[in-house]
Amino acid sequence: MNQQVVQGRFPLSRDLALELASLMAQIDMGDYSEKLRGSANPGGVPAALQALDKFYPYRYRDAMTTEALKDLQEVLAIKWSLLKGRSIFDCVRIYLTCCRKWPFFCAALFQAKPRHSDQAMAWLAVSEDALTVLELSTMTPLARYQYSSIMTFGGCQDDFMIVISNDDTLQSGSCEQKLLFAMSKPKILEITLLIADYMNALGHTLPGTPQMNTLTRNGSHRSIRLVS
């Protein structure tokens, strides 16, 4: 979950990012008071800066001046020191309680370029019951497609394709809608298999897919047969 936060795959303010970074620092390095005795780790990097490098989102650090980064270290050190004596279990519980407030917590996110709109890039959030398109920077939901409304999905040349029935969506127009998203071929295969797994788990009959004749689940193992 922290990797998702650091890589910008989780929507959060700078303040919440600091709170989560302090919790991760406590989990990973223990009480900040122990770090203050030596003021720096053996490599010469202050503990608070080390925590920022590991646990604070890249996008909030990239444009920072040296002075701003120093101020941020001081704020993180204060928040971290307030967690003195907190156990790993407590910090994990608090961290996950914050993260679970986001509706797409634990969803698998894939960056893709929608071919059907002028939008440069978007997130495809694959959760256990639906595929949701999110705006890239704010991660605001733009469209949500229940698996029961997906008629076909899978690779279509260099794109990931889904064909949906508008009967179960808020979309207007024709009964069927074809959506294409530009993605790398490994990611197309990954998202296709993941959606198929969720559909299998829900007991849905898998629709035909452009590149796959069968998508089945046998225990925890997937088996596919690619179609030329």
Side-chain angles (χ1 to χ4, degrees):
M1 189 66 238
N2 177 71
Q3 289 177 351
Q4 298 280 67
V5 168
V6 171
Q7 293 169 6
R9 296 169 178 258
F10 190 91
L12 74 175
S13 65
R14 285 177 168 81
D15 288 341
L16 181 55
L18 266 179
E19 296 289 348
L20 296 183
S22 66
L23 286 165
M24 284 301 303
Q26 180 71 10
I27 291 168
D28 190 59
M29 295 183 249
D31 288 345
Y32 185 66
S33 58
E34 296 296 323
K35 305 297 176 183
L36 283 177
R37 294 176 185 174
S39 74
N41 65 12
V45 180
L49 180 57
Q50 186 183 11
L52 285 176
D53 287 341
K54 293 177 69 175
F55 308 126
Y56 195 68
Y58 298 137
R59 69 178 187 271
Y60 290 155
R61 299 198 315 257
D62 287 344
M64 278 190 171
T65 64
T66 302
E67 191 62 31
L69 186 59
K70 184 178 178 181
D71 292 341
L72 190 65
Q73 284 179 238
E74 293 177 357
V75 176
L76 177 62
I78 293 171
K79 291 182 178 295
W80 185 359
S81 64
L82 292 174
L83 294 171
K84 181 179 179 180
R86 287 275 191 175
S87 68
I88 291 176
F89 177 84
D90 281 345
C91 291
V92 169
R93 178 179 53 79
I94 296 169
Y95 191 104
L96 292 180
T97 298
C98 292
C99 292
R100 283 176 179 144
K101 294 178 181 178
W102 188 43
F104 302 102
F105 172 74
C106 281
L109 299 182
F110 298 83
Q111 271 197 30
K113 183 185 185 324
R115 298 283 196 190
H116 52 279
S117 73
D118 296 331
Q119 192 174 0
M121 294 292 288
W123 292 110
L124 300 183
V126 181
S127 52
E128 60 186 17
D129 60 347
L131 172 71
T132 307
V133 183
L134 308 176
E135 198 275 330
L136 187 68
S137 58
T138 64
M139 307 191 87
T140 302
L142 301 175
R144 186 172 187 270
Y145 307 109
Q146 293 278 355
Y147 293 142
S148 59
S149 72
I150 296 178
M151 303 177 67
T152 304
F153 67 99
C156 180
Q157 297 181 352
D158 293 329
D159 297 325
F160 172 68
M161 180 185 78
I162 60 171
V163 177
I164 59 169
S165 166
N166 286 329
D167 294 341
D168 295 324
T169 71
L170 298 179
Q171 308 288 332
S172 60
S174 62
C175 293
E176 295 180 13
Q177 184 179 11
K178 178 181 177 180
L179 305 175
L180 294 173
F181 300 90
M183 301 172 66
S184 68
K185 288 187 177 180
K187 289 299 181 182
I188 290 172
L189 180 59
E190 183 180 346
I191 193 173
T192 301
L193 290 171
L194 184 57
I195 292 173
D197 268 359
Y198 278 132
M199 284 188 171
N200 274 320
L202 291 171
H204 291 325
T205 301
L206 287 173
T209 61
Q211 290 184 347
M212 296 182 185
N213 188 28
T214 59
L215 283 167
T216 61
R217 186 180 184 115
N218 182 8
S220 61
H221 301 283
R222 304 183 185 99
S223 63
I224 65 170
R225 180 158 62 88
L226 298 180
V227 177
S228 60

